[in-house]
């Protein structure tokens, strides 16, 4: 009993009191978590379930009814699947990528030797961040301008296009090159996972004495890291898939899952990773554009652009992206320093805005889920000829708005907290008090814009 109380107290202290070095090894505290990763059948079961569900969604989307109120794949895809992924960012980091169905066919081809097994070109490694951001932008753009949430076949074709990219990558390159370098979902999840309360890390003290590097190369017929990273190379949440393969490959017990304060990685990285530097302004700009798109007065703006939805949204998206790029540049300039001889270039305004950026995405997805969940069973009935309309229910608009606004407020408070940690920590002698207040005002104004446009 005392051990349980001590563990709970340690968890509470880690989560609610910032300490850059405080960690709780969950493999030691809860051995069943390590046992889950050690038993590879668990991963096979989950992947198989995901692959079957994924295949059914595509089939239902293409061959099922094309009326939005008669096809459940829309709510499962955009409501359940998307919302679950976004929620997972905050709690389990990039664990979704370890179960993702997209690379499944490519893995099968590789297992039977149907692959060129080529090394990833230097071009891909150098420009993958740009390519993946462009692909992610394409997904957001297509979703918005085609009203894909009401188009089952379109949603299925979008899923197929991502599956095709992952499969072709598996046919050409070794390992899961798609997941490591090009996957638009992987990049956004990796960026969001910097805010996660969990991290998958090795014990670097143990790794220093390693001479086999089994976690990366594999051993005894077990292939190594699918994204050719290896546990000993994992220092952030951006690239590791948390597939757990290195847990059974490492003979020294180095890999583990740690509980940490959710702001630790933001403070340590300070916005020096290229992926976050582009995804954050695009994501926030797209959220502003999408919030406006759902306003009644959007049609008045649309009239100015020849009543073209794609042209109107394109302009709003571009304006939003440019606005947040300028805001990030301005905010980072206020910090007084953006480059260090050892640390290199960084953009401290990026981690400051990260909490609101990903909370904004959660709110956008959660609203759709809450508004449409009550019609799921009636839709199921209409699709398969059953009378289930009596099972319809609705969540009041006021409650949905309240939940979403509270989440946005928490996101804004988290932004201010990150800024405060910078001000009292790494930038204590650099960030002037006046500039600190200006950045706080910027955070508040961005929150107001979000709240007004969402409501």
């Amino acid at each position: 009993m005392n051990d349980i109380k001590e563990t709970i107290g340690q968890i509470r202290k880690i989560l609610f009191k910032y300490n850059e070095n405080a960690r709780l090894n969950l493999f030691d505290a809860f051995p069943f978590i390590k046992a889950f990763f050690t038993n590879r059948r668990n991963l096979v079961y989950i992947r198989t379930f995901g692959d079957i569900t994924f295949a059914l969604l595509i089939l239902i989307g293409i061959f099922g009814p094309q009326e939005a109120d008669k096809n459940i794949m829309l709510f499962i895809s955009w409501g359940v699947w998307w919302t679950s992924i976004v929620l997972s960012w905050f709690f389990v980091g990039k664990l979704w990528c370890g179960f993702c169905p997209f690379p499944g066919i490519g893995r099968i081809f590789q297992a039977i030797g149907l692959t060129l097994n080529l090394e990833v070109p230097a071009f891909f490694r150098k420009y993958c961040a740009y390519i993946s951001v462009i692909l992610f932008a394409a997904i957001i753009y297509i979703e918005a301008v085609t009203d894909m949430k009401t188009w089952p076949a379109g949603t299925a074709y979008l899923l197929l296009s991502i599956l095709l990219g992952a499969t072709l990558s598996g046919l050409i390159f070794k390992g899961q090159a798609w997941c490591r370098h090009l996957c638009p979902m992987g990049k956004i999840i990796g960026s969001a996972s910097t805010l996660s309360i969990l991290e998958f890390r090795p014990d670097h003290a143990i790794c220093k004495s390693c001479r086999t590097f089994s976690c990366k190369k594999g051993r005894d017929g077990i292939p190594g890291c699918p994204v050719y990273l290896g546990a000993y190379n994992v220092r952030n949440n951006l690239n590791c898939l948390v597939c757990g393969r290195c847990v059974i490959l490492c003979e020294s017990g180095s890999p583990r899952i740690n509980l940490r304060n959710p702001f630790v990685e933001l403070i340590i990285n300070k916005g020096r990773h290229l992926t976050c530097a582009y995804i954050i302004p695009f994501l926030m700009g797209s959220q502003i554009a999408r919030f406006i798109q759902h306003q009644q007065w959007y049609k008045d703006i649309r009239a100015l652009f020849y009543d073209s939805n794609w042209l109107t949204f394109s302009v709003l998206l571009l304006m939003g992206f440019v606005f947040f790029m300028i805001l990030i540049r301005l905010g980072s300039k206020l910090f007084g320093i953006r480059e260090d001889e050892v640390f290199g270039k960084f953009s401290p305004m990026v981690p400051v805005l990260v909490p609101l950026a990903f909370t904004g995405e959660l709110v956008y997805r959660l609203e759709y889920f809450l508004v449409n969940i009550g019609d799921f069973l009636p839709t199921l009935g209409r699709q398969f000829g059953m009378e289930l309309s009596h099972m319809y229910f609705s969540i009041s608009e006021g409650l949905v708005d309240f939940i979403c606004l509270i989440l946005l407020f928490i996101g804004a408070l988290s932004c201010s907290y990150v800024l405060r940690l910078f001000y009292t920590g790494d930038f204590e002698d650099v960030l002037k008090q006046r500039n600190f207040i200006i950045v706080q005002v910027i955070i508040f104004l961005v929150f107001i814009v979000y709240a007004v446009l969402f409501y």
Side-chain angles (χ1 to χ4, degrees):
M1 183 64 69
N2 290 333
D3 291 341
I4 295 176
K5 289 183 177 180
E6 183 178 344
T7 301
I8 293 175
Q10 191 175 358
I11 291 173
R12 187 186 302 116
K13 187 175 180 180
I14 289 173
L15 292 179
F16 298 105
K17 185 177 181 180
Y18 182 80
N19 184 338
E20 190 172 297
N21 299 313
R23 299 289 192 280
L24 174 63
N25 182 348
L26 297 184
F27 281 1
D28 288 343
F30 306 100
F32 69 88
I33 297 179
K34 184 175 183 178
F36 172 85
F37 285 99
T38 303
N39 186 350
R40 302 305 292 171
R41 290 184 179 181
N42 293 326
L43 188 62
V44 172
Y45 295 149
I46 295 175
R47 279 181 173 170
T48 301
F49 174 78
D51 291 346
I52 293 173
T53 303
F54 185 71
L56 288 174
L57 286 177
I58 292 176
L59 291 174
I60 294 173
I62 295 175
F63 300 106
Q66 293 305 301
E67 296 91 341
D69 63 345
K70 294 182 180 180
N71 199 317
I72 58 172
M73 76 89 62
L74 289 173
F75 178 73
I76 294 175
S77 299
W78 297 106
V80 178
W81 183 60
W82 248 111
T83 307
S84 298
I85 290 177
V86 176
L87 274 172
S88 74
W89 298 346
F90 301 95
F91 299 102
V92 295
K94 217 175 176 185
L95 185 63
W96 156 257
C97 292
F99 305 140
C100 178
F102 288 125
I105 297 178
R107 283 196 300 263
I108 293 175
F109 285 151
Q110 289 178 342
I112 62 178
L114 192 58
T115 175
L116 297 177
N117 204 35
L118 300 178
E119 295 286 341
V120 178
F123 172 84
F124 271 24
R125 294 196 299 269
K126 183 177 181 180
Y127 295 104
C128 64
Y130 301 103
I131 298 172
S132 60
V133 169
I134 291 172
L135 292 175
F136 180 71
I139 292 175
I140 295 295
Y141 181 82
I142 292 171
E143 175 194 352
V145 301
T146 62
D147 198 16
M148 194 164 284
K149 293 190 183 73
T150 63
W151 183 19
T155 298
Y157 293 142
L158 176 62
L159 295 177
L160 275 173
S161 66
I162 301 175
L163 177 63
L164 178 61
T167 302
L168 289 176
S169 177
L171 287 170
I172 299 172
F173 304 118
K174 70 173 186 178
Q176 294 176 210
W178 172 265
C179 304
R180 173 70 187 271
H181 297 290
L182 294 174
C183 179
M185 297 296 297
K187 290 300 181 184
I188 186 68
I189 293 173
S191 299
S193 295
T194 58
L195 195 59
S196 172
I197 62 173
L198 297 185
E199 62 178 19
F200 193 90
R201 295 288 189 276
D203 184 330
H204 291 288
I206 295 177
C207 292
K208 286 180 180 179
S209 61
C210 181
R211 295 295 179 266
T212 62
F213 305 107
S214 299
C215 60
K216 183 176 181 179
K217 299 177 181 179
R219 65 177 175 87
D220 301 330
I222 303 173
C225 177
V227 289
Y228 30 92
L229 189 65
Y232 64 92
N233 280 321
V234 177
R235 299 182 182 278
N236 54 55
N237 281 6
L238 290 174
N239 295 313
C240 175
L241 303 184
V242 197
C243 67
R245 189 178 297 175
C246 57
V247 176
I248 59 173
L249 287 171
C250 180
E251 298 149 309
S252 304
S254 174
R256 71 276 313 274
I257 291 180
N258 296 322
L259 180 75
R260 66 179 189 182
N261 185 279
F263 303 108
V264 164
E265 195 164 328
L266 297 179
I267 300 300
I268 293 175
N269 290 339
K270 299 176 182 61
R272 63 172 170 166
H273 294 291
L274 186 62
T275 301
C276 298
Y278 283 95
I279 280 185
I280 297 306
F282 170 79
L283 188 63
M284 299 187 78
S286 73
Q287 288 162 4
I288 294 298
R290 284 178 281 166
F291 288 162
I292 293 175
Q293 191 181 38
H294 288 84
Q295 295 292 330
Q296 291 184 351
W297 42 270
Y298 174 73
K299 59 184 178 181
D300 297 327
I301 302 177
R302 185 168 163 170
L304 299 174
F305 296 95
Y306 309 101
D307 202 33
S308 171
N309 187 35
W310 72 267
L311 180 58
T312 307
F313 187 80
S314 298
V315 172
L316 291 175
L317 182 61
L318 179 61
M319 291 175 62
F321 176 70
V322 172
F323 171 76
F324 280 104
M325 282 293 290
I326 294 174
L327 194 67
I328 287 172
R329 294 283 182 91
L330 173 62
S332 296
K333 190 174 182 180
L334 290 171
F335 274 80
I337 180 173
R338 289 179 289 174
E339 187 171 358
D340 182 80
E341 293 181 0
V342 177
F343 197 73
K345 292 184 178 181
F346 52 91
S347 181
M349 193 63 182
V350 170
V352 168
L353 290 177
V354 159
L356 189 55
F358 293 119
T359 304
E361 194 63 25
L362 173 61
V363 163
Y364 180 77
R365 302 297 171 184
L366 185 62
E367 182 195 24
Y368 177 85
F369 174 83
L370 293 175
V371 169
N372 292 279
I373 187 174
D375 196 40
F376 175 73
L377 290 178
T379 300
L380 177 68
R382 289 188 290 268
Q383 182 166 1
F384 295 100
M386 299 180 290
E387 179 53 49
L388 299 177
S389 58
H390 62 284
M391 303 187 74
Y392 173 84
F393 67 92
S394 63
I395 300 176
S396 69
E397 183 179 347
L399 179 58
V400 172
D401 288 344
F402 176 76
I403 293 173
C404 292
L405 288 174
I406 287 295
L407 289 174
L408 286 175
F409 181 68
I410 293 173
L413 282 181
S414 298
C415 293
S416 295
Y417 183 64
V418 172
L419 176 62
R420 183 74 184 179
L421 290 174
F422 277 145
Y423 180 63
T424 57
D426 294 339
F427 294 89
E428 183 176 7
D429 299 323
V430 180
L431 180 59
K432 299 178 180 178
Q433 185 179 30
R434 181 190 62 182
N435 292 351
F436 168 75
I437 295 173
I438 292 175
V439 178
Q440 287 282 19
V441 171
I442 290 174
I443 294 171
F444 175 75
L445 292 177
V446 172
F447 164 70
I448 294 298
V449 170
Y450 264 66
V452 170
L453 292 180
F454 171 81
Y455 189 78

